[in-house]
Amino acid sequence: MKLLETERLFLRPWQKTDVADLYDYAKLPNVGPQAGWAPHQNLAESQKILEMFIAEDDTWAVVLKEENKVIGAVGLHDRKPKEELAHLPQREIGYVLHPDYWGNGYMPEAVKKVIDFSFNELKLALLWCGHYDFNEKSRRVVQKVGFQFEFEKETILTRLDHSKVIELFYSLSASDNEINE
């Protein structure tokens, strides 16, 4: 992952030394379940996830410059939610933020930077973002950065409790992004 920078944040590749910061928010009961995964039970579990982030190289650590601390993550994943658009160069953005930092505009700031990188450097045609219907905070981020609602579908949370939920999908095309700038 290329290093990206905003006014208040660094978006950088994950490092092995980030495990304590990852566990600090991943263990909280109001974080993972909002994204469909169970809270981490220990540092070892966070270490496994961190190793996956490093190996897959599609998720940035979100670092608050002022504290030099990882406060969340933003991923740019190779997923294609709409089969009829699978031919287009596209990715899906996913994100998570430590609750202590909610309400400060950090995640919209990070996602806008990833949108800019996706369209201007990766030359993608389309970006997706999804969230579960009960995740109001993610919905607000999606709307603040210009995504438009596309569709919803029922999803089973296999990494949490196997419950059925409604997932809402939003898209943003390169041409839509130009209009919003």
Side-chain angles (χ1 to χ4, degrees), residues 4 11 37 56 62 73 75 80 89 103 107 111 114 134 150 174 181:
L4 303 178
L11 280 61
W37 45 271
E56 292 180 356
V62 176
K80 297 174 179 163
M107 199 44 64
V111 171
V114 172
F134 53 82
E150 285 282 338
E181 288 182 342

Side-chain angles (χ1 to χ4, degrees), residues 11-150:
L11 280 61
R12 64 157 171 79
W14 284 91
Q15 302 167 357
K16 291 180 181 181
T17 55
D18 294 329
V19 68
D21 287 348
L22 172 60
Y23 180 61
D24 190 42
Y25 68 80
K27 68 182 177 184
L28 300 174
N30 56 341
V31 175
Q34 294 293 313
W37 45 271
H40 293 191
Q41 297 302 306
N42 51 49
L43 271 171
E45 184 176 356
S46 291
Q47 182 65 43
K48 284 180 65 177
I49 298 299
L50 180 63
E51 289 169 5
M52 181 188 72
F53 287 162
I54 292 169
E56 292 180 356
D57 195 33
D58 66 355
T59 303
W60 286 275
V62 176
V63 179
L64 182 61
K65 289 178 181 179
E66 155 184 317
E67 297 180 17
N68 193 30
K69 176 182 173 69
V70 175
I71 61 170
V74 177
L76 195 55
H77 310 292
D78 188 13
R79 297 187 190 126
K80 297 174 179 163
K82 209 170 196 180
E83 190 62 37
E84 60 269 27
L85 299 176
H87 64 285
L88 295 173
Q90 61 188 284
R91 294 287 184 274
E92 183 178 349
I93 294 177
Y95 46 84
V96 62
L97 185 66
H98 192 302
D100 288 354
Y101 300 91
W102 290 353
N104 293 296
Y106 295 129
M107 199 44 64
E109 183 177 326
V111 171
K112 284 178 186 175
K113 187 66 176 183
V114 172
I115 290 170
D116 179 64
F117 173 75
S118 298
F119 291 137
N120 295 318
E121 292 192 41
L122 297 180
K123 303 299 183 193
L124 297 179
L126 185 63
L127 286 172
W128 291 96
C129 194
H131 67 82
Y132 303 120
D133 60 350
F134 53 82
N135 190 336
E136 182 63 22
K137 292 189 182 321
S138 283
R139 183 189 65 77
R140 288 200 315 260
V141 171
V142 166
Q143 291 177 332
K144 286 178 184 179
V145 299
F147 280 85
Q148 299 299 313
F149 177 75
E150 285 282 338

